[in-house]
Amino acid sequence: MLMQLPRLTSSLRSPFDIDEAYLQRKVILQNYLRKPNNTANSLHESELARKIIDGWEEASTEVRQAYRQFIGGVVELIDGEVQSEEFREVAWNVYRIFGEEESADSNFTEKKSKLQKLIGHAISDARLQKVAALSQRLYGLQPRNSGAALIVESHVNGSGDDLEFGADLAFQAPARFLMDTSLEDGEMLGEESAAPLSMLHDGWYDHGDPGQNHSTADGGNFDLSWLRDACDQIVGESTSQLSQDDLPMAICRVLDSDKPGEEIAGDLLDLVGDSAFEIVQDLILHRKELVDAIHRGLSLLKSDKTASNTQSRMPSYGTQVTIQTESAKQIDKLRRKEEKRNRRGTEHGVESDVSVASFSSLLQASERKNPFDNLIGSGQGPHSLSVTALPQGTVRKHYKGYEEVIIPPTPTTEMKPGEKLIEIKELDDFAQAAFHGYKSLNRIQSWIFQTVYYTNENILVCAPTGAGKTNIAMISVLHEIGQHFKDGYLHKDEFKIVYVAPMKALAAEVTSTFSHRLSPLNMTVRELTGDMQLSKSELEETQMIVTTPEKWDVITRKNSDMSLSMLVKLLIIDEVHLLNDDRGPVIEALVARTLRQVESTQTMIRIVGLSATLPNYLEVAQFLRVSPETGLFFFDSSYRPVPLAQQYIGISEQNFAARNDLLNEICYKKVVDSLKQGHQAMVFVHSRKDTAKTAEKLVELARNNEDLELFRNDEHPQFALFKKEVMKSRNKDLVELFGSGVGVHHAGMLRADRGLTERLFSGGLLKVLVCTATLAWGVNLPAHTVVIKGTQLYDPKAGGWRDLGMLDVMQIFGRAGRPQFDKSGEGIIITSHDKLAYYLRLLTSQLPIESQFISSLKDNLNAEVALGTVTNVKEACAWLGYTYLFIRMRQNPLAYGIGWDEVIEDPSLSLKQRALVTDAARALDKAKMMRFDEKSGNFYCTELGRIASHFYIQYSSVETYNELLRRHMNDSEVIDMVARSSEFENIVVREEEQNELEMLLRSSCPLEVRGGPSNKHGKISILIQLYISRGSIDTFSLVSDASYISASLARIMRALFEICLRRGWSEMSLFMLEYCKAVDRQIWPHQHPLRQFDKDLSAEILRKLEERGSDLDHLQEMEEKDIGALIRYAPGGRLIKQYLGYFPRIQLSATVSPITRTVLKLDLLIIPEFIWKDRFHGAAQRWWILVEDSENDHIYHSELLTLTKRMIRGEPHKLSFTVPIFEPHPPQYYIRAVSDSWLHAESFYTISFHNLALPEARTSHTELLDLKPLPVTSLGNNSYEALYSFSHFNPIQTQIFHILYHSDNNVLLGAPTGSGKTIAAELAMLRLFNTQPDMKVIYIAPLKAIVRERMNDWRKHLVSQLGKQMVEMTGDYTPDLMALLSADIIISTPEKWDGISRNWHSRSYVTKVGLVILDEIHLLGADRGPILEVIVSRMRYISSQTERAVRFVGLSTALANARCVHLIQSQAPKS
């Protein structure tokens, strides 16, 4: 029986000072709060600085300056790019070697060689001496008594300076006062609190009995075997009343409970007794390790149990016969009974997992290893995955410092009976042209040929790299072309084919391949990427577009380009396995949009997916709507044309220098092994500088190992010929390394040098080629052996070094083995030991592809809402159902944060789907990107959302702009706001970049940088300004960061300009447009406008113009010789005058016509005044036309005008638009024309409102009365009533019936379209037929089309029934005189009636007109208005002369100044 023991005895309580524990806790919290959320934001918390300088936080400015100079010296010394932790290691070692004064003079050469070994390349003496001097200065500036080495002790023991009273005891708080480090982002106790924590973690008391040693002293493992030994000790000393097996199990239950730390400590003391509280302390401190061990044991026990449970449920294939003895049958029966009982128990939740297990079984399970645990190092972090199964024949070898896993090549499978290769001659004639030079298709292509070429099925092909997937795409393209061949003619305008390639380099390669092979069919293939833009006409002429996922996403997001996406009949997606990548969401969005388009428009778009081998291909097929029976093809590595042997090497060496040496040695060994077999090798590294460094290292190692003979190429028959060509090159590395048979290749080399290197390697003159991954993408250059040296590459998007992705590794391994020459290829990857398991799973296709769509759900939902394809929650859920996320979420809910309880409650996951959509919609609503009505579930797009969608701006960036964008901002505030965009959020500040950033800040940044170079946003601001200033950078990581920033900069600036424009901020819009152009042209707005011709005008001329401060208008007025004198260079005057003529200028003039008191009509005349030159102006120039009220800082009208070369030479261009005007009237409006691409190219025109006469204020609209509708019988004539199929007139007709049918007054009827105005005209005609049957009706319509429509309508429904005659008079048709004399109704255009009525004296039928109906009379304000005025005036004059009344009925849309129009009709005629 358990006895209740006191919680804490008084003896335990006495020395514990609660106040001090509280103060400790307070210090930790203060440090945490002081620390910025993102450690990358600031460098003041630097780990290295604190290691080198004691009391870094309190260090003086002088010490900090010396430290920065020292870091700058180390950066120069390394002269290359290393990861930050490696850089810190080098800097620390340099300081340790040279820091102390007494060691400064001792053996310099020895130290130099030590450092060279550490860094991995030669160091110049000058640089080393500089660093030595800097480190000694830094050491000298620090207080003598402290030194870096003493930091740790001073922190742990606490310094005596701040003691107020009492003895200086080393105090440790009890475990219950330890802070849980997982409070915020895992950063609660970061670098600052490291020392106090180490102090707190040492134990409760140090003055305990030395005999009772802490188990932590030996640094042993805290697992279940340690717990067993501890419990044995407790039971042996009789401090607990539980047995040897019960006690550890009870402790396990307590540790695995959800209670807070204090209660657990109390419960454990109750279990083990007072005397064993050190063990309790260890249990609490190492609770995580122990709980992990418990869970591991339980999971293995559970998996054993489920394995035994499921064995009997396995499906039986074929016929299986089982032979069992009688006793075995009985045992089996008992086992099944026991399992049933256990299952029933767990279903009713009788006991927890921990209670079911016995401690001994738990211990055994936790110590048991997975079959592959020994095989592969599984490190910590996201890539610590276990490998479940490796191919047969896999060999594992251990060496000092590294481990090697060798996977043999999979032998090529034999041809199956009946399997044959498809010969090219079996294809249609037109298709054979695309396979010129081929005899037959390969096995994979032949296997799928029937489906791809003869059906419209969607297809997914999973096959190893190098299996000829490009030809599969080609067959599907030919099938599509075949469908549009009619009568021997290809109808090119009926279809478009889109090929989505994951990278620009690959897109370029695919474009050149397909355009060459499809040229016999006269097909146009074009590339559409960030580098290659296409105009609208070019897009229309192109049949096959090769693009990247992002580019095609942007195009299909815009409503204006819907016509293009509607023509797409075939969508080929290459490298579908990228769904797992951070670019996966884009592919998901594209496919979902395409599938919805197919369903909504009922048009056929075939999807062809090409992918590497992957485990969950069935789900990917489901996502692409591929039928598993007919359209899904999966080929394993046995179908690779050249079988691939793979070697995975994981380096476990921890020391940086030793690790580097080992990496080079292993790489060298593998290359030499390949050369000895007579093969060539390619070594892939991850930075340009590393190519030459690695090549030199290989040559050096070959020299040391006397293997240079293997690399030699001077016996090659073409050696002398190629040597001459190599010697002409200016690339130092290429020339120097050629003699050793080694070459380098990277994107930084000249195109000619790259081409030469490729020829040398394919010709066999280079045995080894060291290159970057760009070679694997852009050029098809295989080698027998491919070595990937290190898997860390710098990625500015990720904000540092990341692991080489699956796509890159597969592409590089795809270069191993030359199909024509090799029986097999060899792919070798050298990585760190903890990444070994990750790459093995990746490349043995055991890593299932998960969706990354949730991360960009908000942005994609916004794009669909802006496009108009999703308008409410229901449609959004349906759209989400088309994504890979939805398919994968149902298969693996736990990976997407969905618990099993949710799955059981909601098996279809429709609630989860709805929750995801609703959360995203709420967030978008908060950011004002759309309006979300929660009651109805409807979405309404906003301008902000549309701009974000069109310019590909992330949701989090829009939130930033909402917060920071204001109506008035200065230059540095704008740059700082752009720097805070989430597109750049992963960029981090590195210590090694500080010196260069400070130098760039002084030399290339005209604007203030907020936060300085040590702040993340400060660094981005510097790089933005540097881009506009065209500055140059040395540090590798800065070069990458700068190019990453510049790729998004123009897009972000344009988006900000559009936001300001839509908000109507005139000053800010013009300011942002200036910056858009500054980024596009890389010229500051304050620089001289002629800098935009900097390729033609010398820097000297431009500098002088800026110094003299002469603006464009001033230069325009000056003579050539005056300009020459101004810049003190006579010939320059003529040159400047010439380029001033090319600078875009336009002249504006405008006329204002008030329509109402609040609306003005503006007619703008635009006269270009510059010489068009295609080289500068391209096909068209775009100008923004803005009408702004400068007093209220508001834009009332904006439109984009496109000027072409033809328009420049022709008549001045006219624009008409309306703008509002408000009381009290501003003094003036400005009309601005601002060029969209040329800085300082703008003109403006002032509209003054001083003498503006506006119409009267009173409204002239007739009120619509609430009358009872009049029946048709009111006409009082049966033949008239029979004309109408309806029973009652509408409200407008009812109100005007009396005046039209029972009076002869003139009428002006202004009403909206569809109000029944034609029937009103008919009522007036019927009145004339009643009262004056001998008089004629003239109906004047402004367009021939309306005349024709009226003729057809009245011929059917009016004329025939009333027995009247009707004629048409237009430019196309003139009736003869007899027809005109006998006609009762004449329908004419204004021009025709004007021409005829001029001679009214001699034309009697003109004088017999009793009713004139003028349709569309609102056109009085248009070009043809004067003719209508003349007709009315002339008819009134004729009436006065003949003394016969002429009635006028005018029909128009609703008019603002109807009174004036009515006066025209009603005024007395004048002769």
Side-chain angles (χ1 to χ4, degrees), residues 231 241-253 271 359:
C231 290
Q241 299 185 357
L242 289 172
S243 71
Q244 214 156 340
D245 201 43
D246 292 345
L247 178 62
M249 210 58 225
I251 290 173
C252 285
R253 275 186 223 114
L271 285 172
F359 184 71

Side-chain angles (χ1 to χ4, degrees), residues 25 60 255 375 390 437 446 483 655 670 673 849 904 943 993 1192 1264 1286 1291 1383 1444 1449:
R25 209 156 167 271
S60 66
L255 290 174
L375 185 61
L390 284 173
S446 301
Q483 292 192 308
N655 180 291
K670 296 298 172 191
D673 288 349
I849 293 197
I904 291 159
E943 280 295 350
E993 299 166 348
N1192 298 316
L1264 188 62
F1286 51 82
R1444 282 184 183 173
V1449 174

Side-chain angles (χ1 to χ4, degrees), residues 847-864:
L847 205 57
I849 293 197
E850 296 296 351
S851 169
Q852 312 296 320
F853 196 70
I854 288 182
S855 61
S856 56
L857 177 61
K858 296 185 190 83
D859 295 324
N860 283 306
L861 176 61
N862 175 56
E864 297 303 323

Side-chain angles (χ1 to χ4, degrees), residues 116-177:
Q116 281 183 172
K117 194 175 176 201
L118 181 73
I119 292 168
H121 61 81
I123 305 168
S124 76
D125 284 356
R127 279 182 179 175
L128 193 56
Q129 279 160 352
K130 181 184 169 186
V131 172
L134 288 168
S135 44
Q136 281 157 31
R137 179 168 176 261
L138 183 58
Y139 180 79
L141 285 170
Q142 293 190 63
R144 283 287 166 273
N145 58 347
S146 57
L150 304 175
I151 294 173
V152 183
E153 288 87 347
S154 67
H155 267 292
V156 173
N157 299 331
S159 73
D161 306 345
D162 52 2
L163 272 182
E164 286 183 46
F165 53 83
D168 182 11
L169 292 173
F171 165 78
Q172 279 87 30
R176 64 180 59 196
F177 276 86

